[in-house]
């Protein structure tokens, strides 16, 4: 049986049915999925009740699976799988105002996974295991649609600009210091081009994220405001897709051409578990892209 592919929105994303990701996929199907991924930026596979091993095996068709970083308030049970969870090992749900829950609020800002690293992930693959009955969606926005929506003048301006992305910048916006000195050293500010072109089809994307702190060579405060404005521009409804999770949904999204963010839900009322893998890139976005100090 051949997979069927249909559009999710007029601007990006496709839904893929007639495929079972727990089974070994042949080269023809993998090539088709790779092509769809490069073209549409987001692939939704509904009803995939698969194991972590199958999730990682699927990921590795597309590249090297990254080992997740242990982030604040989360824990993971297996290498290569990042578990997004809202309860502790004893099964107690996080309280709404405790630091672990507040830390999750960072995921409610538009971002691309890993843009605070010199080599951001190419893609992320999220699988819904437990979903709340209300809220807890993931919204995605097309950075290609955002690029195409800019004026010619802005495109010319941002075409060769560089933005400095910093993990601490995003966390500062939450008004809480979650960054240990060790983490701060581990994630120094990095430089990324504001326009990223897909290496296969050349499609251009406006590369912005809540990690982007300022535009190189411009006034830091003013360019920070401009980046915030660009982020709001990119996240507007006409470029976005709101995904209400069903258990078994698996979504693969391109971090070079998509923003995403989580929507709120009663974190202290309902359990929610998503499991994620990330596909590593093999080169930085530009030469000399690690800065020593912000
Ligand atoms: Fe994310």
């Amino acid at each position: 049986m051949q997979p069927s592919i249909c559009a999710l929105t007029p601007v990006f994303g496709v839904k893929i049915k007639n495929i079972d990701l727990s089974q070994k996929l042949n080269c023809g199907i993998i090539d088709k999925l790779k092509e769809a991924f490069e073209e549409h930026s987001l692939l939704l596979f509904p009803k995939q009740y698969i194991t972590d091993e199958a999730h990682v095996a699927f990921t590795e068709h597309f590249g090297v699976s990254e080992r997740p970083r242990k982030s604040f308030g989360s824990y993971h049970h297996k290498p290569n799988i990042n578990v997004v969870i809202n309860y502790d090992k004893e099964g107690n749900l996080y309280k709404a105002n405790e630091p672990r829950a507040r830390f999750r609020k960072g995921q409610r800002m538009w971002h691309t996974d890993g843009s605070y690293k010199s080599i951001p992930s190419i893609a992320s693959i999220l699988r819904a295991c437990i979903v709340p009955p209300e809220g807890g969606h993931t919204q995605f926005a097309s950075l290609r649609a955002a690029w195409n929506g800019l004026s010619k003048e802005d495109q010319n301006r941002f075409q060769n600009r560089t933005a400095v992305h910093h993990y601490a910048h995003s966390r500062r916006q939450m008004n809480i210091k979650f960054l240990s000195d060790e983490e701060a050293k581990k994630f120094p500010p990095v430089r990324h081009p504001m326009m990223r072109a897909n290496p296969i089809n050349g499609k251009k994307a406006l590369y912005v994220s809540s990690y982007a702190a300022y535009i190189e060579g411009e006034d830091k405060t003013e360019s920070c405001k401009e980046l915030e404005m660009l982020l709001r521009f990119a996240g507007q409804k006409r470029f976005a897709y709101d995904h209400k999770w069903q258990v078994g949904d698996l979504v693969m999204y391109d971090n070079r051409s998509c923003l995403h963010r989580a929507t709120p839900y009663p974190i202290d009322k309902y359990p929610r578990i998503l499991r994620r893998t990330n596909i590593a890139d093999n080169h930085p976005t530009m030469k000399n892209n690690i800065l020593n100090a912000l």
Side-chain angles (χ1 to χ4, degrees):
M1 198 187 288
Q2 281 297 310
S4 73
I5 301 182
C6 66
L8 270 181
T9 79
V11 286
F12 78 120
V14 288
K15 186 194 279 194
I16 304 187
K17 295 202 286 194
N18 292 340
I19 189 166
D20 180 354
L21 302 185
S22 69
Q23 301 300 309
K24 199 170 166 15
L25 302 173
N26 68 41
C27 296
I29 289 180
I30 295 297
D31 286 349
K32 205 170 225 167
L33 297 181
K34 284 182 179 170
E35 204 179 292
F37 169 72
E38 300 294 354
E39 185 64 25
H40 302 290
S41 302
L42 183 149
L43 311 180
L44 162 63
F45 301 88
K47 297 185 181 165
Q48 303 295 332
Y49 310 103
I50 62 173
T51 61
D52 284 344
E53 288 72 21
H55 187 155
V56 172
F58 174 68
T59 304
E60 289 178 343
H61 284 302
F62 300 90
V64 175
S65 179
E66 281 179 359
R67 230 185 147 76
R69 170 176 77 84
K70 195 174 181 325
S71 67
F72 183 83
S74 77
Y75 50 93
H76 57 84
H77 317 286
K78 289 181 181 166
N80 302 70
I81 293 274
N82 196 318
V83 184
V84 182
I85 194 167
N86 64 330
Y87 56 87
D88 63 22
K89 286 178 184 165
E90 283 73 49
N92 304 306
L93 288 167
Y94 296 168
K95 294 189 175 57
N97 268 324
E98 69 173 280
R100 287 178 299 193
R102 284 185 296 160
F103 179 78
R104 291 297 160 80
K105 287 184 182 168
Q107 294 166 355
R108 293 197 209 151
M109 294 187 281
W110 285 116
H111 65 283
T112 69
D113 287 336
S115 82
Y116 57 85
K117 298 188 293 187
S118 65
I119 306 182
S121 316
I122 290 182
S124 305
I125 303 180
L126 262 180
R127 179 176 118 242
C129 300
I130 299 179
V131 300
E134 51 184 284
H137 303 187
T138 302
Q139 297 178 328
F140 299 91
S142 169
L143 291 169
R144 288 181 188 164
W147 179 263
N148 293 334
L150 291 173
S151 66
K152 281 275 162 281
E153 195 188 348
D154 280 342
Q155 286 182 349
N156 288 338
R157 198 157 92 71
F158 299 131
Q159 175 97 17
N160 297 310
R161 295 281 155 122
T162 298
V164 174
H165 294 233
H166 195 197
Y167 188 72
H169 175 72
S170 154
R171 295 301 169 249
R172 246 181 246 134
Q173 291 174 69
M174 294 155 60
N175 284 328
I176 309 166
K177 190 177 188 264
F178 281 116
L179 209 59
S180 65
D181 291 344
E182 198 186 317
E183 264 192 316
K185 266 190 218 137
K186 214 154 84 186
F187 301 116
V190 292
R191 305 162 66 234
H192 294 304
M194 288 185 67
M195 186 280 289
R196 290 186 76 180
N198 180 287
I200 292 165
N201 57 33
K203 291 189 176 182
K204 294 178 176 179
L206 175 69
Y207 194 59
V208 287
S209 169
S210 61
Y211 297 111
Y214 64 90
I215 301 173
E216 207 168 61
E218 296 191 10
D219 178 84
K220 283 189 181 176
T221 311
E222 287 308 308
S223 63
C224 178
K225 280 187 202 151
E226 183 159 40
L227 286 166
E228 283 168 9
M229 211 181 66
L230 286 171
L231 202 55
R232 280 197 297 278
F233 174 79
Q236 61 185 300
K237 248 186 174 164
R238 66 185 168 124
F239 304 145
Y241 164 64
D242 179 76
H243 186 66
K244 183 180 184 330
W245 292 101
Q246 304 289 328
V247 171
D249 283 349
L250 183 140
V251 172
M252 174 174 179
Y253 54 91
D254 186 342
N255 282 307
R256 303 162 302 180
S257 62
C258 280
L259 289 171
H260 64 279
R261 68 176 178 185
T263 69
Y265 71 101
I267 196 166
D268 50 0
K269 205 167 158 194
Y270 304 113
R272 178 179 184 263
I273 300 184
L274 299 179
R275 299 169 95 82
R276 192 184 77 213
T277 54
N278 284 84
I279 300 167
D281 207 345
N282 54 12
H283 58 276
T285 55
M286 58 197 298
K287 279 184 188 163
N288 306 320
N289 77 339
I290 303 179
L291 292 179
N292 291 323
L294 190 65

